Amino acid sequence: MTTQQLHEQILQKKSFLCVGLDPDLTKIPQHLLETEDPIFEFNKAIIDATHNLTVGYKPNTAFFEAYGIKGWMSLQKTINYINENYPDIFTIADAKRGDIGNTSSMYAKAFFEDLNFDSVTVAPYMGKDSVEPFLAFENKHTIMLALTSNEGAFDFQTLNTNGKELYKQVLETSKTWKNSENLMYVVGATKAEYFTEIRKIVPDSFLLVPGIGAQGGSLSEVCKYGMNDMVGLLVNSARAIIYASKGTDFAEKAREEALKVQQEMAEIIGLKLQV
Amino acid sequence: MTTQQLHEQILQKKSFLCVGLDPDLTKIPQHLLETEDPIFEFNKAIIDATHNLTVGYKPNTAFFEAYGIKGWMSLQKTINYINENYPDIFTIADAKRGDIGNTSSMYAKAFFEDLNFDSVTVAPYMGKDSVEPFLAFENKHTIMLALTSNEGAFDFQTLNTNGKELYKQVLETSKTWKNSENLMYVVGATKAEYFTEIRKIVPDSFLLVPGIGAQGGSLSEVCKYGMNDMVGLLVNSARAIIYASKGTDFAEKAREEALKVQQEMAEIIGLKLQV
């Protein structure tokens, strides 16, 4: 998928919501545990209920790997289900990978070829040759951690390096890498005031924004400082949507929560288009 | 496994070699491709041929994930085979994981519980709450990236942050985390001169050292600057050992290469014990 196609989908759905799929067997509705693949059945119901309100799905690989082979099979079924039934949806493997070049090539193969995701999240610590193998794939997107939404973000990401915070250095350096136009960045919603600075460095890039909902970030604040002409934001919400109910009505309740966010987004996009 | 047990194994085998299992279907001997699970058969043969020369095996998860569910099954079979047949061997899931707390907990469950590895590699960029969930597991070890062996290591890891390089800041900060005694660190062999500085910060920790062999690092240099009283090093070699031959003699040739490294290590340990 190209960023142009992603942008068109955002305007069409009046949404830049991404639903995070973090399926946890201790949190999903009990009645699903009787099915052969509870994780897939849970994801499928959430996807069917929300697909016209969201432009992206972001399965978090940890929540599949924790269940071993069975979990990896659920991940495969989930991405196949999205690609077959809702091919216009932007898919993100939230995997936070990154290693020396020949190893990153194998990760890229895993997520872009074997599983056929549109994008994958990566960590920047190992630098250029750990990320460029992902960037080599045409019409695939590599979403690199810049400033994350967790407490530990302040351990290293905001350290002063040669007069600027590390995350800014990461953003700037990454722009010099080969095929850097295939980069997007993770920027946590819990730090809306940082978006102004970030947009000075990467005005045109899409930003994947976690931290809305359970982690406490504000959508309007993020949009105020983070939007660009392409909208340029994918705002992720996981727990607040997928665990809105633990009952048999979980998919319906998930849709209601997604609809609330989508309506807020539609209003923001509407105001922006009028300007 | 405790670090004491690891140390005992090092003295007994006169080796601190770790064999990296990076199985690539385009590189393994052709005759294995006719078997039902070529990756597992390859690993099994390498393991059977080298287990008394090495104290650790380090499957690199990327090389399994690239083959999807079949690859994850090969990983499961490989770790089970080691645990069942060579329970004294230290096992490392080279996965470079790390995410917000609840996600890192799922990764820890995947590698420490579901797959039952002794250790897993993690990336530091997301800070304290991305690593502490791994550290909570007793007698399991979390091997954090400090200074890696690749070219991109110089993009961010050696940036000056408040008067010291980022990797030193990472080492120092990590010592303040809960259960930090369960930390080990990745330090690339291609930068032997850095070990002196690193040992000032983490004198007692085990260091996992990639970059010997195909990546060009020198074993004697690394030992000169990096060894401590517990030996304190796990030196990884992958390609130089596992791809020593592409013929039917691949396991035998792998053993020959492993033996060369082990003999060099035995000499170094012997000299050290005389001191």
Side-chain angles (χ1 to χ4, degrees):
Chain A
M1 185 179 299
T2 64
T3 48
Q4 188 54 42
Q5 287 169 320
L6 176 58
H7 182 225
E8 282 162 17
Q9 193 193 164
I10 288 171
L11 295 184
Q12 188 199 325
K13 290 182 175 171
K14 294 187 175 58
S15 170
F16 43 99
L17 173 63
C18 175
V19 174
L21 299 173
D22 301 5
D24 183 336
L25 287 181
T26 66
K27 287 185 185 168
I28 70 175
Q30 289 297 301
H31 71 280
L32 291 177
L33 299 181
E34 293 154 21
T35 63
E36 200 183 302
D37 188 343
I39 288 180
F40 173 67
E41 294 302 332
F42 176 75
N43 291 342
K44 179 175 175 297
I46 296 283
I47 292 162
D48 287 337
T50 59
H51 69 90
N52 61 349
L53 302 172
T54 182
V55 295
Y57 289 107
K58 180 175 76 59
N60 181 331
T61 55
F63 286 75
F64 298 85
E65 292 177 22
Y67 303 109
I69 292 160
K70 217 168 145 43
W72 200 265
M73 287 174 77
S74 304
L75 177 63
Q76 175 93 67
K77 281 166 76 176
T78 300
I79 180 65
N80 287 352
Y81 187 78
I82 300 170
N83 283 340
E84 281 161 22
N85 293 281
Y86 310 109
D88 59 331
I89 292 268
F90 186 73
T91 54
I92 303 168
D94 196 3
K96 311 283 199 298
R97 301 298 201 262
D99 206 313
I100 61 172
N102 75 324
T103 300
S104 277
S105 293
M106 294 306 260
Y107 281 128
K109 191 164 147 14
F111 292 106
F112 291 153
E113 289 183 355
D114 184 68
L115 291 168
N116 198 17
F117 276 91
D118 291 312
S119 66
V120 63
T121 58
V122 303
Y125 194 72
M126 293 181 68
K128 175 176 167 161
D129 53 311
S130 72
V131 179
E132 283 188 343
F134 293 97
L135 299 177
F137 285 73
E138 207 175 350
N139 292 332
K140 298 286 186 179
H141 306 271
T142 304
I143 311 178
M144 193 166 74
L145 298 179
L147 185 61
T148 59
S149 58
N150 63 322
E151 188 195 335
F154 299 103
D155 280 340
F156 309 120
Q157 296 166 26
T158 54
L159 284 179
N160 187 311
T161 57
N162 303 326
K164 62 173 76 89
E165 288 111 318
L166 176 60
Y167 75 90
K168 289 184 187 169
Q169 187 68 57
V170 165
L171 289 168
E172 283 181 9
T173 302
S174 71
K175 289 171 70 179
T176 68
W177 296 342
K178 194 173 176 188
N179 300 312
S180 64
E181 67 278 11
N182 293 334
L183 275 170
M184 300 181 176
Y185 301 94
V186 174
V187 179
T190 46
K191 304 172 186 71
E193 68 272 24
Y194 287 83
F195 278 85
T196 311
E197 295 292 303
I198 287 167
R199 277 300 180 205
K200 287 182 191 161
I201 309 171
V202 287
D204 302 324
S205 304
F206 264 89
L207 307 179
L208 173 64
V209 185
I212 292 282
Q215 292 181 64
S218 151
L219 179 62
S220 60
E221 285 289 298
V222 166
C223 292
K224 185 175 166 188
Y225 301 111
M227 269 190 154
N228 65 14
D229 289 345
M230 294 272 281
V231 178
L233 298 175
L234 287 171
V235 170
N236 188 70
S237 181
R239 285 169 274 181
I241 291 177
I242 68 175
Y243 298 128
S245 161
K246 286 193 75 161
T248 51
D249 63 347
F250 72 99
E252 195 184 317
K253 292 293 179 192
R255 181 177 171 82
E256 284 174 21
E257 289 303 314
L259 184 62
K260 280 184 210 165
V261 183
Q262 184 271 330
Q263 284 178 337
E264 205 181 335
M265 289 175 168
E267 195 175 339
I268 292 167
I269 291 176
L271 285 172
K272 191 171 171 65
L273 290 179
Q274 283 169 19
V275 176
Chain B
M1 183 180 297
T2 65
T3 47
Q4 188 54 43
Q5 287 169 319
L6 176 58
H7 182 224
E8 282 163 16
Q9 193 192 165
I10 289 171
L11 294 184
Q12 187 199 325
K13 291 181 174 171
K14 294 188 175 58
S15 170
F16 43 99
L17 173 63
C18 175
V19 174
L21 299 173
D22 300 5
D24 183 334
L25 287 181
T26 66
K27 287 185 184 167
I28 70 175
Q30 290 297 301
H31 71 281
L32 291 177
L33 298 181
E34 292 155 21
T35 64
E36 200 183 300
D37 188 344
I39 289 180
F40 172 67
E41 295 302 332
F42 176 75
N43 290 342
K44 179 176 175 296
I46 296 283
I47 292 162
D48 286 338
T50 59
H51 70 91
N52 61 350
L53 301 172
T54 181
V55 294
Y57 288 108
K58 181 174 76 60
N60 181 332
T61 56
F63 286 76
F64 298 85
E65 292 176 22
Y67 304 109
I69 292 160
K70 216 167 146 49
W72 201 265
M73 289 174 76
S74 304
L75 177 63
Q76 175 92 67
K77 281 167 76 177
T78 300
I79 180 66
N80 287 352
Y81 186 79
I82 300 169
N83 283 338
E84 281 161 21
N85 294 280
Y86 310 108
D88 59 328
I89 292 268
F90 186 73
T91 54
I92 302 169
D94 195 2
K96 311 280 200 300
R97 299 299 199 264
D99 206 313
I100 62 171
N102 75 324
T103 300
S104 276
S105 293
M106 294 305 262
Y107 280 128
K109 191 164 148 15
F111 292 105
F112 291 154
E113 289 183 355
D114 184 69
L115 291 168
N116 198 17
F117 275 91
D118 291 313
S119 66
V120 62
T121 58
V122 302
Y125 193 71
M126 293 182 68
K128 175 176 166 159
D129 54 309
S130 73
V131 179
E132 283 189 343
F134 292 97
L135 299 176
F137 286 72
E138 207 175 350
N139 292 332
K140 298 286 185 180
H141 306 271
T142 304
I143 310 178
M144 193 165 76
L145 298 179
L147 185 61
T148 59
S149 58
N150 63 321
E151 186 195 337
F154 298 103
D155 280 338
F156 309 121
Q157 297 166 26
T158 53
L159 283 180
N160 187 311
T161 59
N162 303 325
K164 63 173 75 91
E165 289 112 317
L166 177 61
Y167 76 91
K168 290 184 185 169
Q169 187 67 55
V170 165
L171 289 168
E172 283 181 8
T173 301
S174 72
K175 289 170 71 178
T176 68
W177 296 343
K178 194 172 177 189
N179 299 312
S180 62
E181 68 276 11
N182 293 333
L183 277 169
M184 299 180 176
Y185 301 94
V186 173
V187 179
T190 45
K191 305 171 185 70
E193 69 272 24
Y194 287 83
F195 278 85
T196 311
E197 294 292 303
I198 288 166
R199 277 301 182 204
K200 286 182 190 161
I201 309 171
V202 288
D204 301 325
S205 304
F206 263 90
L207 307 179
L208 173 64
V209 185
I212 293 280
Q215 293 181 63
S218 150
L219 179 62
S220 61
E221 284 290 296
V222 166
C223 292
K224 184 173 167 189
Y225 300 111
M227 268 188 155
N228 66 13
D229 288 345
M230 295 272 281
V231 178
L233 298 175
L234 286 171
V235 170
N236 189 71
S237 180
R239 284 169 274 181
I241 291 176
I242 67 175
Y243 298 128
S245 161
K246 287 193 75 163
T248 52
D249 62 346
F250 73 100
E252 196 184 318
K253 291 293 178 192
R255 182 178 169 81
E256 284 174 21
E257 289 304 313
L259 185 63
K260 281 184 209 164
V261 183
Q262 185 271 331
Q263 285 178 336
E264 204 181 335
M265 289 177 169
E267 195 175 339
I268 291 168
I269 291 175
L271 285 171
K272 190 171 172 64
L273 290 178
Q274 283 170 19
V275 176

